[in-house]
Amino acid sequence: MNADAGALWEFYRIERVSRDLPRFRIEREPHLTCYVPLETGLDGLVCFARIEPDALERAVTDEISRFRTLGIDFEWKVYDFDQPPNLRSVVNRTFKLAFGH
């Protein structure tokens, strides 16, 4: 990642995380952001991850557990600038184990 692209992404991430989203409760954590729907028929969302590599597996399984407990489907948006670099592969593998797809 070049410095300009990284700085632009960080600006975008901070700006997006600071906004409220109608019909969602936003849970801003130091390592990611969760959008939990306040109405039935909406899916949750996890995004803007900056997770320490040694905490990655646990963070992904914790989010699966969070949304399962709530009885809400959700999507994990993985962006190219999210951290760690292997986030996408860990999310994909963990989702396949948890949901079979």
Side-chain angles (χ1 to χ4, degrees):
M1 152 174 56
N2 76 39
D4 290 340
L8 183 60
W9 170 252
E10 188 61 16
F11 175 79
Y12 173 78
R13 186 186 71 78
I14 290 168
E15 191 272 331
R16 292 296 300 170
V17 167
S18 67
R19 284 190 189 172
D20 287 333
L21 188 61
R23 304 185 303 166
F24 286 84
R25 177 180 74 241
I26 302 174
E27 299 179 4
R28 297 170 179 97
E29 300 182 14
H31 62 286
L32 53 80
T33 302
C34 295
Y35 295 85
V36 180
L38 299 172
E39 302 173 7
T40 57
L42 298 173
D43 291 344
L45 175 65
V46 176
C47 57
F48 303 120
R50 300 192 80 63
I51 303 168
E52 293 297 323
D54 61 337
L56 181 55
E57 297 275 347
R58 178 64 186 252
V60 174
T61 57
D62 284 353
E63 294 312 312
I64 291 170
S65 295
R66 175 203 309 253
F67 282 97
R68 271 191 173 157
T69 299
L70 295 171
I72 298 171
D73 290 335
F74 78 103
E75 175 182 1
W76 191 308
K77 285 270 196 199
V78 179
Y79 298 101
D80 289 342
F81 292 110
D82 284 347
Q83 294 297 317
N86 66 330
L87 175 65
R88 185 180 315 275
S89 65
V90 172
V91 167
N92 287 341
R93 179 173 31 92
T94 307
F95 271 51
K96 284 178 185 172
L97 290 171
F99 302 111
H101 62 334

